Amino acid sequence: MDTVRKKRPFGFYVCSLGFTFERMAFYTVKYLLVIWIATTAAAGGLGLNDTTAAAMSASFVAWSYITPIFGGYIADHWVSPRICVPVGMVLMGLGYLCTWKADSIGMVWAMIILVSVGTGLFKGNLSGISGLLFQDEEELNSAFSVQYSFINIGSFIGTGLIAILATTGIGGIKLSFGSVFLICAILMFIDAVWFIVNSRKLGDAGKKPFKNDQRQFVGASDSKGKESSQPLTTSDKKRIVAIVLVTLLSGVFWMVWYMAYMPAYNYFGYGDGADFLNHANWYIGDFLIPTSWFDSLNALTCIILGPVFAVMWNKLAQRPKGDISMFKKTALGTILVGVAYVVMVLADIVRGDGQCSIVWIMFVCLLMSVGEMVFSPLGNSFISQMAPAKVLGLLLGFWPIAVFLAQQVYPTVYAFLKTVPFVKGYGTLAAIVIVIGVLLWAFSGKLDELEKED
């Protein structure tokens, strides 16, 4: 096997930066939406109650994770993915323009609809184009791990810099909510221009609907490139089942991953930036750490870990027995996020009647981030390798459904946990999640059979 690192095509970076711009805008709006809707009109908000604000924010996130399945189906059968992606970027930009001048809840819904439809055309299809740039499937895990760093650069800038311009300000510069939303719109229009101007760097990848794209990885069966004109085989159906199972099992991870933010902010964190709940000390000297930096710390950790995991997956792929399976990676990620909950429980025990150190919260974030990096970037790689060509876009769009399901479930679980003592409730949840991860690892051998060709 040739172990010399191959230079990644420039088109890979075109796609990666496409994600960076989109995540900068998305995470800025995701963080500000609740604050903006609940802020009084005199202070630049809509002046609605926090219940309405939370519901609108949940809708914004949830629908942007369900529409890629429809956008993927369109790119599979009817429209070139190379057209879907920039159209999606423009629609998202128009959506953020709605919040720039919004003075009613109707404009917020217009934003949610436009951004959700735009995300559906953009998200999975850009991953599909990126995957088609590689001829060797062993390069994909490494490439998508690096791409995940680009995604988190966008998240880091969005929550750590742009969003703060509308809350506390940076270096004496403080902007209105509308001005920050306008920045988000401009970012998406720049993203569309960047993609279109550099589309020639993508070669033929994504020019035709995915079902007609003749992709053939090195070492794949000779019939791989011809499969789009044939009915689904038994092997195809088994691989589809494997993808669906990994997606649904990852929903357990995302449920507890997203819910971890609730105790981190609402139990160990602080309310309006001044009133501590006496559960954690968020000061470093005289500096009060902004709560949005918990998001930013996660993004920064993923940025740093992306190249590290890229090297690790490349090394594992070179072993005689190859890399560990996607089912094992999902299991490991689930176990790690379960351990993050154990750390929260230990922090609550250690603090007694006082405050725990911010170091505990940072350790929770580290475990969450490592768990995320173990399998999340590889979902698109796994699907790009396993999916029959005729349903590639559909299955890439199906991957975000795990996050949609998690968004629907975790608020109910969180509401229940508020009714029981913290150590008992979160300790029990940690044990359940870790057991699920261990069982998934134990039975991964049987599940791995679904990935194999007949």
Side-chain angles (χ1 to χ4, degrees):
M1 180 181 293
D2 182 10
T3 59
V4 177
R5 178 181 292 275
K6 298 178 182 177
K7 184 178 179 181
R8 296 188 181 95
F10 184 78
F12 167 76
Y13 297 102
V14 172
C15 295
S16 296
L17 276 174
F19 280 116
T20 300
F21 284 117
E22 186 270 337
R23 291 288 91 178
M24 285 167 63
F26 179 85
Y27 274 94
T28 297
V29 175
K30 174 179 175 289
Y31 179 75
L32 288 179
L33 202 56
V34 171
I35 301 171
W36 170 61
I37 292 174
T39 297
T40 62
L46 292 185
L48 303 176
N49 61 59
D50 58 352
T51 302
T52 300
M56 297 301 291
S57 180
S59 295
F60 172 68
V61 175
W63 287 107
S64 67
Y65 278 94
I66 194 71
T67 52
I69 192 170
F70 302 107
Y73 189 83
I74 290 171
D76 276 337
H77 296 277
W78 300 315
V79 182
S80 161
R82 293 263 283 269
I83 294 175
C84 291
V85 168
V87 168
M89 293 169 172
V90 171
L91 287 175
M92 285 185 275
L94 294 174
Y96 296 135
L97 280 181
C98 290
T99 51
W100 173 37
K101 293 294 186 181
D103 58 3
S104 68
I105 203 69
M107 292 296 284
V108 181
W109 274 116
M111 181 275 289
I112 291 173
I113 292 170
L114 284 167
V115 172
S116 297
V117 174
T119 303
L121 293 171
F122 165 89
K123 199 177 185 76
N125 295 330
L126 186 57
S127 294
I129 293 171
S130 186
L132 290 173
L133 295 171
F134 297 91
Q135 291 185 316
D136 190 342
E137 62 184 36
E138 292 183 356
E139 296 179 56
L140 283 178
N141 282 349
S142 175
F144 276 108
S145 290
V146 171
Q147 190 168 88
Y148 208 65
S149 288
F150 280 85
I151 291 170
N152 279 282
I153 288 171
S155 172
F156 177 77
I157 295 173
T159 57
L161 297 174
I162 301 175
I164 294 178
L165 289 172
T167 53
T168 60
I170 300 176
I173 301 175
K174 191 173 186 300
L175 303 178
S176 67
F177 288 105
S179 296
V180 173
F181 293 141
L182 176 60
I183 290 173
C184 294
I186 292 171
L187 285 170
M188 291 314 307
F189 296 140
I190 291 174
D191 203 7
V193 171
W194 162 260
F195 184 83
I196 292 169
V197 168
N198 290 288
S199 60
R200 64 186 184 279
K201 301 295 185 180
L202 301 172
D204 292 331
K207 278 188 174 180
K208 297 178 289 186
F210 285 126
K211 74 169 186 175
N212 296 323
D213 212 317
Q214 303 300 304
R215 61 196 184 93
Q216 187 168 354
F217 291 120
V218 174
S221 64
D222 293 337
S223 62
K224 188 76 170 176
K226 303 176 182 178
E227 66 175 19
S228 61
S229 61
Q230 303 297 323
L232 289 173
T233 66
T234 300
S235 176
D236 290 337
K237 293 174 183 177
K238 287 171 63 178
R239 286 183 281 137
I240 291 172
V241 169
I243 291 168
V244 171
L245 278 177
V246 167
T247 301
L248 295 179
L249 289 168
S250 71
V252 176
F253 171 89
W254 287 119
M255 184 198 76
V256 289
W257 191 92
Y258 275 99
M259 197 176 73
Y261 281 84
M262 306 307 288
Y265 283 164
N266 299 331
Y267 187 78
F268 291 106
Y270 50 95
D272 60 4
D275 298 327
F276 273 92
L277 301 178
N278 295 321
H279 292 167
N281 182 0
W282 285 63
Y283 275 98
I284 297 179
D286 295 329
F287 178 69
L288 177 60
I289 301 173
T291 55
S292 68
W293 283 16
F294 188 78
D295 286 278
S296 300
L297 179 59
N298 167 253
L300 181 61
T301 305
C302 291
I303 292 168
I304 294 170
L305 291 178
V308 175
F309 274 88
V311 172
M312 185 175 74
W313 301 138
N314 191 50
K315 293 288 186 183
L316 288 175
Q318 294 174 14
R319 300 184 306 170
K321 61 181 179 180
D323 197 359
I324 62 174
S325 73
M326 191 64 187
F327 288 106
K328 281 188 169 70
K329 290 170 182 173
T330 305
L332 183 56
T334 302
I335 292 169
L336 285 170
V337 78
V339 174
Y341 276 73
V342 172
V343 172
M344 282 194 281
V345 169
L346 292 174
D348 195 53
I349 294 172
V350 168
R351 75 174 182 83
D353 294 327
Q355 295 177 327
C356 70
S357 168
I358 188 64
V359 173
W360 287 93
I361 308 303
M362 294 173 67
F363 191 30
V364 169
C365 187
L366 177 63
L367 287 165
M368 289 170 58
S369 301
V370 175
E372 178 183 358
M373 286 302 300
V374 165
F375 88 96
S376 183
L378 308 183
N380 290 324
S381 171
F382 176 70
I383 295 170
S384 294
Q385 295 176 47
M386 297 293 298
K390 61 174 69 66
V391 290
L392 174 62
L394 179 67
L395 291 172
L396 283 167
F398 184 71
W399 178 246
I401 280 186
V403 176
F404 173 81
L405 295 174
Q407 291 285 334
Q408 303 304 307
V409 174
Y410 90 77
T412 302
V413 178
Y414 176 67
F416 170 76
L417 290 176
K418 290 180 69 175
T419 66
V420 299
F422 187 89
V423 171
K424 178 181 178 181
Y426 282 87
T428 302
L429 179 62
I432 292 172
V433 171
I434 291 172
V435 168
I436 290 173
V438 170
L439 289 174
L440 178 55
W441 182 284
F443 287 99
S444 62
K446 294 289 185 182
L447 295 171
D448 291 343
E449 295 296 320
L450 295 171
E451 303 179 28
K452 298 178 180 178
E453 297 277 359
D454 287 341

